[in-house]
Amino acid sequence: MFRVYWCLSHEHDLRLVALAFVVCGLASFTAVLLVARTISTGGQRRGWLTLAGVVTGIGIWSTHYTAMLGFSPVLPIRFDPRAAAVSILATVLLSVAGWVIAAAGGTGRGWRGSAAAGGLIVGLGLAVAHYVDMDGLIVAGRIVYDFDLVAVSIVAGLFFCGLTGWLLQRGQTGRYRVLAGLSLSAGVLLLHFIGMAALRILPDPTIVVAASALGLDQLGGLVIAGTVAVLCVALAVAVYDDRMIRQSARAAERLAASSTALRLSEEHYRFAVEFNPQIPWVSDVFGMILEIGPLAADVTGVPIDNLLGRGWMRYVHPEDIVQIGSDSVNVWHRRGSFDHRYRVRQTDGSYRWSRARGTARRGPDRSVMLWYGSLEDIDDQVTAENALRLSEERYRLALGATNEAIWDWHHATDRIDWGEAVGSQLGYPEAQAGTSQGWWVDRVHPDDFKAARLSLEKALGDGSTLWGAEYRFRKGDGTYADIYSRGKIVRDANGTPIRTVGAMLDITERKRTEESLRWRAMHDPLTDLPNRTLFNQRLTDALQAAKMKRHGVGLIVLDVDDFKMVNDTFGHPTGDALLCLLAQRLRRIVPADAVVARLGGDEFAVILPKLETGEALIDVIGRALAGLNVVFDLEGRAIECNTSVGGAMWPGDGSNAEELLKSADIALNTAKSEDRASIRTFSGDMRVLIETRATMLTEARGALKDDRIVPFYQPKIDLVTGEIAGFEALLRWNHHRNGLQPPNGIAAAFEDIELSGRLTDRMIDRVVRDMQDWQHAGVDFRKIAINGSAADFLRGDFSDRLLGALHQADISPTCFEIEVTETVFVGRVAKNVERTLNDLSAAGVTVALDDFGTGYASLSHLRQFPVDVIKIDQSFVHKLARIDDDDVAIIQAVIALAKSLDLVTVAEGVETDVQATQLRAEGCDLAQGYLFSRAVAAFQVAKLVARRPASFAVASRLEPDAEPFAKAI
């Protein structure tokens, strides 16, 4: 680039350089105007493109020649006229071709890139002109080129010429034309001066310049002047033509705008006529329609052709013709206008309401020449008017039928107008003539008036539009009715109330229903006692009152022992009747200020609001228990009722209602777990016991849910032969952390009726499955015993359940034994026990009486129930070492009794040879205990059965090398 600068500043006459710039700019802008003019007119004037090419070619050549005049190297320069002719001809032809192609791209009829391509062709003409002229230079020396600069010059010229075509394609505004002219000028100038910088002349004396060569200064002035003149003329023509084109375009735009405005005006008129609901029409003096709007066919349902030239009266409903004719005669003579509402027949035979308005155009003699008017479809309007009349009629009928007393209070006159219901519903027929507000005030209940008045004044004063209130209103017969009054407040523009319209509704019956529902929501439907919700409220109220007056509050909770058995045995109606009798008796027993509630099921509670000491609480509990633990006669059935009672005192046993109730519940649960039909008052250590019991129940439920209940089997040994006579299935359960556990870890579950039954069912399922497996494996397990609880006999299907499981597993009932304690023989379940044991015994199941001698059984039970086996409790067996103890006599008596009744005796808890020897000596049949074996898992039973009988024999009969099996395992 320094070379370019040096060439321009040191090897050129800057005045001529400036002239070359002017010539180049004049030619470039002239060519751009000519091409742009052609593009703007659609590219149809090829002559303008030819002129543009000629101007461009002359401009390029003139710029080159002018700049060459300013070039002043060391040696004089001459020029070959043939090269000059070739260069100007080439650049003109290529420029014409380039602009033709560029114009085609600018008008959108050619290839999208052809405008830029045309510019490149113009640039090619520029390059050809320059370097052909350079080749025509004649100088006494050698001409050397820097081909890098040559390449740069050609690229620069082609780029800016191509850019010129692209700019002409992009837009025809003045801004784009200026940019295109500058771009073309830049291309011409850059190619020339960079190309001149690439040229170097090296003097060579051996080169002789021909005499025919022309000097640049010989024709320079003439060439430049002629060129500038041609360019100026071309520019003037282009500018003038462009101005004329613009004027023509503006004239065409004004003409187009006028045409558009006229078309829009016509369309506006047409749409105004077509869519105006009032359809214009013109008729002759006789009523024949001459002109009518196009919407008439839609409004009347009659085609336009049927309307034009005909009388429209033929389509009018017969009932409306007379009135129309009378009105028309009056208009004819009085010179006014008419306005008719009539029905027009449609093509389907139906009628629609229309409205025709018109007047007459009269001649100089005032005679009618034409009628002008409009037609409008008013069928929807007439339908709405008819609907409004019907609605008003229905409203009047509704007011007469409703039981609401409608009122309309005019504030300015203080007058209230009343509907008919004020007489029929409220008993004041005379009030229909109107009353004052004071009349209404006098009849509002005194206790309710203040609240009603304040609510009304608030609504009137705070800008509200609605008001409503409930109050009692004295009726004409002197009684008070519960009223709900509501109204809408009408205000003027300033917001001042001017009128209030509303209704009074008698809601007496609804209030009674609500009160009844409210009472039922707070009371037990069976006993009419307060339910748990109301009980909680009353207990909270009693504690708050006690805090203020500083006295104590007692709380008693009680429930019926084994109430489920009453329902299961005698039916739910009997159970419900028992609860009602208990509620009645409880009300009579407790103090008058006490609150008796039913918390749910068979659980009751008593609040003693003024109780000072725990002794007083115990006294009340004692009297309640004495009055409730009796035999009730229900429909000829004597039903024994036993209740357990728990009590707590505030504030010692709880600081609030929730804590006090929880303490009383803990006392009740303690009473039920220790001894039924008993009394317990709360103490701190009960909480630990209850939590322990709750933990046991939770563990039991979890063990059942996760199938962690498993039976272990302890053998029963024949004391004479040493053979295994059978096994007792003992419950074990797996703790999720501590492993296998004995049943005492879930002892509380055996006192729960529901859990106890589920545990027995699970044991039966597992035992029967093990028996089936042993039977298939050929293991002679003899007989398996399982314990049955009182809860099992509460269910009427226990025997069916057990026998069904054995039958399904194909196991004989004779292989099964059920062990029951003496306690199941007494109490309410005795009948169930007798029936169930008889069913099992008849099927072949052995019945064993467990823990004999420790309960309440009598000898009559041994005859009443089908007992096959008596089990001697281990508490007697453990004392056999003390010969003088009375327990020895008891064992002897039990064994003797069993032999007399032909019953088998089994001793439990045998742990020593001494005990076993003495039991055998007394005649006891079977024994079980740690001496022989602990309880083992099901898979170990086969190993026990496979042992030799001598392994289980007592010490006095052991072989010299034998030892007890218990030691072996």
Side-chain angles (χ1 to χ4, degrees), residues 273-287:
V273 171
E274 290 181 356
F275 297 111
N276 192 339
Q278 296 182 349
I279 304 167
W281 55 265
V282 180
S283 71
D284 63 13
V285 66
F286 301 108

Side-chain angles (χ1 to χ4, degrees), residues 735-784:
H735 190 275
H736 59 279
R737 287 194 306 268
N738 301 329
L740 194 66
Q741 300 292 312
N744 56 2
I746 55 172
F750 301 107
E751 301 171 3
D752 183 278
I753 294 177
E754 185 263 339
L755 282 178
S756 179
R758 290 176 60 191
L759 289 170
T760 300
D761 286 345
R762 185 63 56 85
M763 285 290 291
I764 290 174
D765 291 339
R766 296 298 296 267
V767 168
V768 169
R769 189 190 312 167
D770 291 340
M771 295 171 70
Q772 189 177 31
D773 292 342
W774 295 330
Q775 188 169 276
H776 290 164
V779 178
D780 185 13
F781 55 86
R782 301 293 179 92
K783 190 183 293 289
I784 304 298

